């Protein structure tokens, strides 16, 4: 709705509201336009709609295969009703990943319920179509994904703080690229730097994620400011680029609209995040090529 015109100050002295006056006619038109706006915005009543708690145990799958020769893993858990609720793992599920040539059974990791690991290391290969099968409580959930080749990329940039001798990230990647969407993982570790040896290692490490997507949203541009991480010279940084399919990029965009990009000047209306899981599950199963750079922060 556009804002109504603002009445200009009336400077005439001869008009008293009698007879035909062009200035009065103009003012009447302005008031007629302004009145509906007042009617629609002047009175507001708060209504609290009761929202019943959902008892549905929706299965959420979080799994990314990569072309790294490592033990591949998939996390499976149930949905929660509130943002800060404790995540409940999906235990004792039968999990299988297959392609045209091979199949791998994933076993639940001892001591970490809901985390399923392959029995041995293997890399995802280009040109193969991978299928995830999750069987739980007589229900089968499936998803298919394939790998997009990775590319070399420009190293991230860091700069010194104005207020101290520490550094912060200045730039990691462009937020928009219509042809080459990607997810970036930045691991920052200064636990071995002189002066920090006796500090809790958890306080000397950070893991950040950035995204290059084929769309540019207003919610992203005006998203809430994220916490800035400061680190000393000598810090070791591992920068990883994960290639994304169009479908995977669309999932991440939908997820960011519901999480990181909410609370800014232009938040979006809440909606269900898209998924490539069939059978009633949610989340995403993807296959990514990974390119890695190793950086040491120097003065």
């Amino acid at each position: 709705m556009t804002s109504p015109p603002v009445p200009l100050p009336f400077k005439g002295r001869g008009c008293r509201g009698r007879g035909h006056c062009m200035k009065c006619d103009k003012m009447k038109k302005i008031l007629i336009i302004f009145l509906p706006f007042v009617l629609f915005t002047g009175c507001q009543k708060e209504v609290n709609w009761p929202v019943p708690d959902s008892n549905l145990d929706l299965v959420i799958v979080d799994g990314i295969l990569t072309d790294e020769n490592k033990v591949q893993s998939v996390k499976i858990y149930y949905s929660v009703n509130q943002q800060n609720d404790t995540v409940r793992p999906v235990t004792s599920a039968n999990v299988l990943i297959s392609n045209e040539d091979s199949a791998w059974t994933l076993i639940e990791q001892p001591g970490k319920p809901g985390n399923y690991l392959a029995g041995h290391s293997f890399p995802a290969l280009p040109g193969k179509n991978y299928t995830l099968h999750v069987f739980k409580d007589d229900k089968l959930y499936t998803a298919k994904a394939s790998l997009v080749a990775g590319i070399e990329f420009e190293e991230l940039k860091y700069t010194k703080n104005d207020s101290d001798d520490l550094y912060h990230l200045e730039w990691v990647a462009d937020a928009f690229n219509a042809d080459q969407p990607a997810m970036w993982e930045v691991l920052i570790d200064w636990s071995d730097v002189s002066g920090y040896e006796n500090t809790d290692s958890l306080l000397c490490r950070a893991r950040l994620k950035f995204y290059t997507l084929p769309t540019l949203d207003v919610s992203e541009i005006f998203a809430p400011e994220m916490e800035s991480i400061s680190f000393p010279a000598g810090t070791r940084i591992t920068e990883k680029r994960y290639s994304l399919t169009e479908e995977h990029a669309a999932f991440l965009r939908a997820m960011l609209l519901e999480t990181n990009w909410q609370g800014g000047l232009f938040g979006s209306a809440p909606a269900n995040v898209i998924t490539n899981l069939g059978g009633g599950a949610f989340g995403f199963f993807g296959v990514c090529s990974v390119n890695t750079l190793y950086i040491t922060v120097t003065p």
Side-chain angles (χ1 to χ4, degrees), residues 253-298:
R253 173 184 176 270
M255 182 186 67
L256 290 166
L257 284 169
E258 298 298 319
T259 54
N260 293 30
W261 298 348
Q262 283 286 5
L265 293 176
F266 297 92
S268 61
N272 290 332
V273 176
I274 63 175
T275 180
N276 66 343
L277 271 294
F282 290 86
F284 201 88
F285 170 69
V287 183
C288 302
S289 179
V290 180
N291 295 77
T292 306
L293 288 178
Y294 298 97
I295 305 160
T296 299
V297 176
T298 56

Side-chain angles (χ1 to χ4, degrees), residues 3-295:
S3 299
V6 178
L8 298 174
F10 179 68
K11 297 182 180 180
R13 293 178 179 268
C15 178
R16 295 291 183 269
R18 297 187 296 269
H20 180 73
C21 174
M22 294 183 63
K23 291 182 179 179
C24 286
D25 289 345
K26 183 177 181 181
M27 290 297 294
K28 290 177 182 177
K29 292 179 180 178
I30 292 174
L31 289 173
I32 290 172
I33 296 173
F34 189 75
L35 183 58
F37 182 79
V38 174
L39 291 176
F40 281 113
T41 62
C43 291
Q44 295 183 0
K45 181 179 179 181
E46 182 179 355
V47 177
N48 295 319
W49 293 100
V51 179
D53 290 335
S54 174
N55 294 321
L56 295 177
D57 287 333
L58 300 177
V59 173
I60 311 297
V61 175
D62 179 12
I64 295 180
L65 301 187
T66 74
D67 59 357
E68 302 166 294
N69 189 18
K70 67 175 188 178
V71 176
Q72 309 289 345
S73 64
V74 173
K75 296 180 181 179
I76 311 174
Y77 47 90
Y78 291 110
S79 61
V80 295
N81 293 326
Q82 302 294 332
Q83 185 175 0
N84 295 322
D85 285 354
T86 302
V87 173
R88 297 180 297 120
V90 173
T91 59
S92 304
N94 294 316
V95 183
L96 179 75
I97 294 175
S98 64
N99 63 16
E100 294 88 343
D101 303 322
S102 305
W104 300 268
T105 299
L106 278 66
I107 304 300
E108 192 169 9
Q109 187 176 2
K112 292 187 177 181
N115 289 263
Y116 295 82
L117 303 180
H120 57 84
S121 302
F122 70 93
L125 301 175
K128 298 295 183 181
N129 297 303
Y130 291 85
T131 303
L132 171 69
H133 311 262
V134 177
F135 188 76
K136 173 67 176 177
D137 295 334
D138 297 328
K139 294 182 179 179
L140 177 63
Y141 310 102
T142 61
K144 296 180 181 295
S146 56
L147 182 144
V148 174
I151 60 172
E152 295 183 358
F153 58 90
E154 184 180 353
E155 181 180 302
L156 60 78
K157 295 179 175 60
Y158 56 86
T159 189
K160 195 172 185 178
N161 296 344
D162 295 330
S163 57
D164 52 39
D165 292 331
L166 301 178
Y167 296 80
H168 65 272
L169 296 180
E170 182 71 17
W171 175 88
V172 174
D174 292 333
F176 171 78
N177 189 312
D179 301 319
Q180 296 174 330
M183 176 175 67
W184 307 80
E185 182 181 42
V186 179
L187 305 175
I188 307 174
D189 186 349
W190 61 96
S191 59
D192 293 333
V193 175
S194 177
Y196 293 88
E197 302 95 337
N198 297 324
T199 305
D200 186 348
S201 61
L202 295 178
L203 301 177
C204 300
R205 293 172 182 164
R207 178 175 179 261
L208 306 175
K209 283 191 176 182
F210 302 85
Y211 304 89
T212 298
L213 301 177
T215 58
L216 192 59
D217 294 274
V218 175
S219 298
E220 175 185 4
I221 298 172
F222 294 97
E225 186 176 353
M226 303 299 288
E227 180 183 4
S228 179
I229 304 297
S230 294
F231 42 86
T235 295
R236 293 176 287 111
I237 298 178
T238 303
E239 182 181 13
K240 292 186 175 185
R241 180 191 184 276
Y242 293 75
S243 63
L244 300 175
T245 62
E246 291 184 6
E247 188 180 20
H248 200 164
F251 163 78
L252 290 172
R253 173 184 176 270
M255 182 186 67
L256 290 166
L257 284 169
E258 298 298 319
T259 54
N260 293 30
W261 298 348
Q262 283 286 5
L265 293 176
F266 297 92
S268 61
N272 290 332
V273 176
I274 63 175
T275 180
N276 66 343
L277 271 294
F282 290 86
F284 201 88
F285 170 69
V287 183
C288 302
S289 179
V290 180
N291 295 77
T292 306
L293 288 178
Y294 298 97
I295 305 160

